[in-house]
Amino acid sequence: MPRKRVISQEPPKRRVRTGCDRCRARKVRCDEQKPTCGQCSAKGFDCQTSIKLKWEQDYTSAGRAFGRAGLWSKKAAEKSNAASPCIHVTEDEVSWIRIPLISSYSFVNATVGNIEQLTTLENLAIDAAPVLDVIHTNDRDDTSSTASLSPWLSARQPAFLPRQHFIPSSLSMLPDLPSAMHSSLLSYYLEKICPITVPSSVNESPFANLILPFSISSSPAVLESLLALAACHRSKKDIAFRATSLRLGDNVLRTLRGRLGTEDPLEVAMDPETLVIMMILCQYEIINECDKRWVVHLKGARDLIRVRRNAQLYLAAGQSSVDLVEFAEKYFAFQDVIGRTACGEEPIFGIDFWTSRGEDTDAWLGCSAGLVSILCEITELSRQHRSRPGVSLLPEFQFKAASLERRLCSLRQRVLNEEDDLLQLSAELKRLAAELYLHCALNGATPAMPLVVRLVQQILHLVSVLLEHGVLAGLSWPLFVAAVELDPMEDLEWAERQDLPDEVPNYARPFVLYALSRLAGSNAIANIAKTRSVIERIWLTRSHDEISDTQLEGLEKGQNDWERYVAPLCGGLSLA
């Protein structure tokens, strides 16, 4: 007689999936008590719980269903496999379809004007020269964080320069770079770095119309140094480019050292590539840390230029190389002059380099060669005073200082394009900063003097105007000269509040910090962090001396204001 089935009112017990390892192996129910479950406690076992990962590939290869997919039967799986047998075909029976040409055009963030410009440039490039050999590095292709700034620039589609003023027709097409990272960096160099090396968009940057064509046509090493510079500059805001910057910079150094160690020294010195690479590496170190490593390149360039001139082969090169070498020499000499105005150290490039007293304003210098020549003479005279303070009492010294002051006041810096107001303002800004520097370094002017206050106000006003127009080139040195000559006992009001935008401070110290933040936020071609650090230390030293007797010690030694506060803190500082 069958027994009567008792219907339980309790809910059905479900399998547990988090039991201990031993209960799961014995296939018994685990009460999951911690630290030892009931089963293991009764048997005297060690209770351990672990996670076992199951992979779908293992189940599929064993002919078992994974999880709840399919049926829990090997026979069902075999029947399923038998229902769809593999079809084998020979090579003759296969018909391959031709892969269509897929262009690298992207309509994201592009306009109709971009596409029209691209089409025009492609038509111009039909008869262009073959793609030039370029560098080959093993950079990781990381397009996720290095998207090209140009809507049509990619690793496979060459970019075109927007302007072809100094670039030959055979260089109308940039090289096909080995990775999207390189294309992105080259685009960044063209669109972000080159425009901010000159104070006005009316003038072309020599970094674009001289260095870039040379790197494409003649020097893969220079091209790699430009990519390293772009990565270094971009790493200021995106640390992901730091490793790429260091790797590319190390490759360039290895190439330069290899040439210096294996080739004829004179041949290496006479090659414009060597001087250009040293210039880019110098700029790289300034942007990177602005320590004394950039001075090493400066001194090396001086020796290299001496060898070139002594060999008397300088004029034998082509005209394009002459222009390139002249710019490189001007770059190093200008860095030397502006850097020495702050520290007053011995010159690396002699005063004979700036013999020209021309009044035509140079677009890259942001002033005339005549003004740089005056600055060089002021610095030399200041260095004499620093070594022998008593020399300032001599009539010869006073006559030279007065002569330089007259030259500065009467200097008229001509701008060839009358509509280029920004370049004119930049030239006047540097002239005012040179005048303030002369009075402080040679005539013993102090921050409390009305003349110094007036010049500081004028300099800060021009800095504000240029910042408002987006100018970044050439502002570091004038801003530095005005900032270090602020009176610690009085907060100078350089402009009326109603004449300025709300975000622009009208007091000198807050405005200096505001301007430095603007330059740093816009990634100006300078090391703003170190410049700001030096300015703040000078402010702190001045404030400390005002309430102590330390200031009298400097006066007893015959030091002027610039020698007492500015020069000792500015070794290795680049302000150009």
Side-chain angles (χ1 to χ4, degrees), residues 3-37:
R3 285 182 289 179
K4 186 176 180 180
R5 184 177 181 183
V6 179
I7 300 176
S8 175
Q9 300 297 327
E10 297 179 0
K13 295 181 178 180
R14 300 181 179 276
R15 294 180 59 188
V16 294
R17 297 180 179 275
T18 56
C20 69
D21 296 344
R22 189 168 294 275
C23 288
R24 291 173 65 86
R26 297 173 59 216
K27 297 185 179 180
V28 297
R29 184 177 299 280
C30 182
D31 57 12
E32 302 183 68
Q33 294 184 8
K34 301 298 180 182
T36 305
C37 70

Side-chain angles (χ1 to χ4, degrees), residues 46-174:
D46 293 334
C47 186
Q48 295 181 352
T49 303
S50 61
I51 299 175
K52 183 178 180 181
L53 299 178
K54 298 180 179 180
W55 306 99
E56 185 177 2
Q57 292 86 346
D58 298 338
Y59 280 73
T60 303
S61 61
R64 294 186 296 166
F66 179 70
R68 296 182 178 272
L71 300 176
W72 294 86
S73 172
K74 295 184 179 180
K75 295 182 179 180
E78 292 173 358
K79 292 179 180 180
S80 176
N81 294 334
S84 55
C86 180
I87 301 175
H88 297 280
V89 295
T90 62
E91 185 68 23
D92 298 335
E93 297 174 339
V94 176
S95 171
W96 296 98
I97 302 176
R98 183 178 181 181
I99 300 176
L101 177 62
I102 302 175
S103 300
S104 58
Y105 299 155
S106 173
F107 292 91
V108 179
N109 298 328
T111 64
V112 175
N114 298 143
I115 305 303
E116 291 179 350
Q117 182 180 8
L118 176 61
T119 305
T120 303
L121 291 171
E122 285 179 339
N123 294 333
L124 293 175
I126 292 177
D127 299 327
V131 178
L132 299 168
D133 292 332
V134 294
I135 58 173
H136 297 282
T137 58
N138 296 323
D139 285 347
R140 179 174 57 87
D141 188 1
D142 185 6
T143 57
S144 60
S145 62
T146 58
S148 172
L149 299 174
S150 178
W152 53 78
L153 185 60
S154 68
R156 297 182 178 276
Q157 191 71 21
F160 298 86
L161 286 177
R163 292 177 290 191
Q164 303 287 338
H165 185 62
F166 285 97
I167 302 176
S169 57
S170 60
L171 298 181
S172 61
M173 185 168 58
L174 294 183

Side-chain angles (χ1 to χ4, degrees), residues 237 463 467 472 475-476 479 503 505 509-524 527-529 531-532 535-536:
K237 285 191 175 181
V463 170
L467 278 177
L472 302 178
L475 297 186
S476 298
L479 187 62
E503 70 275 7
R509 279 184 180 80
F511 175 77
V512 169
L513 299 180
Y514 162 79
L516 291 172
S517 298
R518 284 282 303 272
L519 292 176
S522 303
N523 268 12
N527 195 302
I528 304 301
T531 303
R532 174 169 179 162
I535 291 174
E536 290 176 345

Side-chain angles (χ1 to χ4, degrees), residues 382 385-386 389 392 397 438-446 554-555 557-566:
S382 173
H385 182 273
R386 189 180 181 184
S392 61
F397 181 92
L438 180 145
H439 287 297
C440 296
L442 300 184
N443 299 335
T446 60
L555 295 176
K557 296 178 182 178
Q559 293 179 324
N560 59 35
D561 182 84
W562 194 272
E563 295 166 351
R564 173 74 183 90
Y565 293 104
V566 182

Side-chain angles (χ1 to χ4, degrees), residues 103 155 175 265 305 538:
S103 300
I305 292 172
I538 292 172

